[in-house]
Amino acid sequence: MAQEISSLRKFVAPEIIFGSGARKMVSNYAKTFGAQKVLLVSDPGVVNAGWVIEIEQLLQEEGLDVVRFTQVSPNPRSEEVMLGSEVYLEHGCDVIVAVGGGSPMDCAKGIGIVSTHGTQIRDFEGIDQTTNPIPPLIFIPTTAGTSADVSQFAIISDQQDRVKFSIVSKSVVPDVSLIDPDTTSTMSPFLTACTGVDALVHAIEAFVSTGSGPLTDMNALDAIRLINNHLALLVEQPEDKYLREQIMLGSMKAGLAFSNAILGAVHAMSHSLGGFLDLPHGLCNAMLVEHVIDYNYRSAEDRFAVIAQTMGIDTRGLTNKQIQTRLRNHVQALKRDVGLKDTLGKFGVHTTDIPYLSTNAIKDPCILTNPRRSNKRDVELVYEEAL
Ligand SMILES: [Fe+2]
């Protein structure tokens, strides 16, 4: 049988420091970028967890001025990006440090763009819309899942239109990502579950994406293995440092995979849902994932079989239909084990909302790399399944 030759693929990643204590490198890197005044972007939850004061002190001890910007919502909003860029410019900042989950990091990306382009953040919706360099970005993630610290995505919520929009650009890959598993010790079990399932979905979607390739496949499969083997244990034993490190590593690899292979229908539909209801992103993904696997299965049977094997399913002697059922059951069991059982209906989504949700989902850039081409009616049917 003739072997297939890979298409051309590029792979973008930040400089990464991974491991316990990585966050303490923040002032070295800020100084490397010539920082004198740092905009420190975070949110109230991360302030309460104590990470902001620690990072602020580390920077100040090295003689750097710090301006805090912590008015960031769980789904960061356009007006917060605009306000943050005003603060950046008003104080004459020269480097942006973000500490937190996906929300502060995505907001920091938006602040970086607006501070050097001087227009509305919504103008940068879509792929590669930035024209100017943006300030140096140093990111310290405190959740293991969103991977905004390695990705070329920023997802911003527009409250007026009740939509989330995606900015996809190499310019929002941070310059340095300080990935420190110690910072995830302040996550609740619910947040651990949501962000962990988000990371698993990143890896699955990246592996079946039409943009996948050898450089992303290895990261995606390793992420699936790490998250499958360790997430439920971590939710049970949040104090276990080894488990925290494995999930942080899995999340990072999933991020490297999806940032370069892009995503699929779960994320397109979940962005639409998150903009409509302001629900946690990982929870939206969790409510959709097995339904999208079912929808996509026939379009990527060989790839889904590899995913099933990577999750420990013995596929020998099984038909594609049987593997599909086992994979769906396995994903549902994993969700149940980490405590995510609810469906869309529980959060007030009605059949009448589905056309609006679907219209926005098929406009999302993530739908373009879904293995099965999808129109509005296809997406409507998947939402209906997930109700
Ligand atoms: Fe995600």
Side-chain angles (χ1 to χ4, degrees):
M1 193 172 73
Q3 298 292 311
E4 257 185 63
I5 307 274
S6 301
S7 316
L8 277 180
R9 292 284 188 248
K10 76 171 176 178
F11 191 87
V12 182
E15 180 174 349
I16 293 171
I17 311 288
F18 182 91
S20 173
R23 68 190 186 281
K24 295 180 182 164
M25 308 281 286
V26 65
S27 37
N28 295 27
Y29 277 100
K31 286 200 300 189
T32 304
F33 291 123
Q36 293 189 325
K37 195 175 274 190
V38 170
L39 184 75
L40 180 55
V41 181
S42 191
D43 67 27
V46 180
V47 172
N48 288 339
W51 300 116
V52 172
I53 185 82
E54 188 195 11
I55 299 301
E56 188 173 59
Q57 282 170 354
L58 286 166
L59 291 164
Q60 287 169 338
E61 278 164 17
E62 293 298 321
L64 300 170
D65 286 335
V66 178
V67 178
R68 280 193 194 190
F69 179 74
T70 59
Q71 293 149 268
V72 182
S73 304
N75 288 308
R77 301 171 180 183
S78 297
E79 53 274 24
E80 294 162 354
V81 170
M82 300 313 290
L83 187 60
S85 64
E86 271 172 41
V87 173
Y88 180 91
L89 293 171
E90 210 173 274
H91 288 84
C93 297
D94 39 27
V95 166
I96 300 175
V97 173
V99 53
S103 316
M105 292 192 279
D106 280 353
C107 191
K109 291 178 178 188
I111 292 170
I113 292 174
V114 173
S115 68
T116 56
H117 290 75
T119 157
Q120 293 297 313
I121 189 62
R122 188 86 194 255
D123 297 343
F124 302 93
E125 178 174 3
I127 297 166
D128 285 334
Q129 300 298 313
T130 58
T131 50
N132 305 338
I134 71 171
L137 302 176
I138 303 172
F139 284 4
I140 304 167
T142 61
T143 63
T146 64
S147 297
D149 55 297
V150 295
S151 82
Q152 43 186 337
F153 281 73
I155 314 295
I156 308 293
S157 184
D158 185 322
Q159 293 285 295
Q160 253 173 0
D161 292 351
R162 288 183 81 183
V163 291
K164 277 182 160 186
F165 61 93
S166 305
I167 296 166
V168 188
S169 169
K170 191 169 75 173
S171 68
V172 296
V173 175
D175 296 274
V176 181
S177 180
L178 305 174
I179 306 179
D180 187 339
D182 295 355
T183 62
T184 64
S185 61
T186 49
M187 285 201 294
S188 66
F190 176 68
L191 189 58
T192 303
C194 284
T195 52
V197 170
D198 184 24
L200 177 66
V201 174
H202 292 156
I204 293 174
E205 294 215 287
F207 191 68
V208 299
S209 160
T210 58
S212 66
L215 299 176
T216 54
D217 286 350
M218 61 183 183
N219 284 297
L221 290 179
D222 212 24
I224 290 168
R225 182 184 61 77
L226 286 163
I227 298 161
N228 181 66
N229 293 354
H230 300 104
L231 185 62
L233 289 171
L234 178 60
V235 170
E236 253 173 55
Q237 304 161 46
E239 303 304 320
D240 191 313
K241 284 190 165 192
Y242 173 77
L243 294 174
R244 271 215 302 270
E245 185 176 273
Q246 298 307 296
I247 291 297
M248 198 61 154
L249 198 55
S251 161
M252 181 199 78
K253 289 182 181 223
L256 291 170
F258 93 76
S259 175
N260 291 285
I262 318 299
L263 292 157
V266 180
H267 272 77
M269 295 174 66
S270 140
H271 291 153
S272 172
L273 196 57
F276 188 66
L277 284 181
D278 208 17
L279 288 173
H281 168 68
L283 180 64
C284 293
N285 284 341
M287 292 189 285
L288 295 164
V289 58
E290 68 265 33
H291 305 289
V292 176
I293 289 176
D294 271 342
Y295 167 72
N296 279 336
Y297 203 93
R298 295 268 313 269
S299 303
E301 284 174 334
D302 293 351
R303 293 228 144 207
F304 278 117
V306 174
I307 291 173
Q309 289 152 9
T310 307
M311 296 183 99
I313 298 168
D314 185 354
T315 60
R316 285 172 299 180
L318 299 185
T319 63
N320 277 318
K321 194 72 203 156
Q322 287 168 324
I323 300 171
Q324 178 181 348
T325 305
R326 300 254 175 120
L327 179 60
R328 189 209 307 118
N329 292 346
H330 185 91
V331 169
Q332 278 176 326
L334 193 151
K335 279 169 44 180
R336 220 173 23 245
D337 289 349
V338 300
L340 301 179
K341 298 179 184 124
D342 292 332
T343 60
L344 294 182
K346 283 245 169 89
F347 294 95
V349 178
H350 300 288
T351 317
T352 47
D353 301 322
I354 288 178
Y356 179 79
L357 290 169
S358 305
T359 301
N360 289 323
I362 57 164
K363 284 190 223 152
D364 192 282
C366 294
I367 204 79
L368 299 173
T369 44
N370 192 62
R372 179 169 165 185
R373 281 179 70 110
S374 312
N375 60 32
K376 188 179 165 206
R377 186 65 200 134
D378 296 328
V379 171
E380 283 178 348
L381 291 172
V382 182
Y383 276 125
E384 280 167 24
E385 291 287 325
L387 270 184

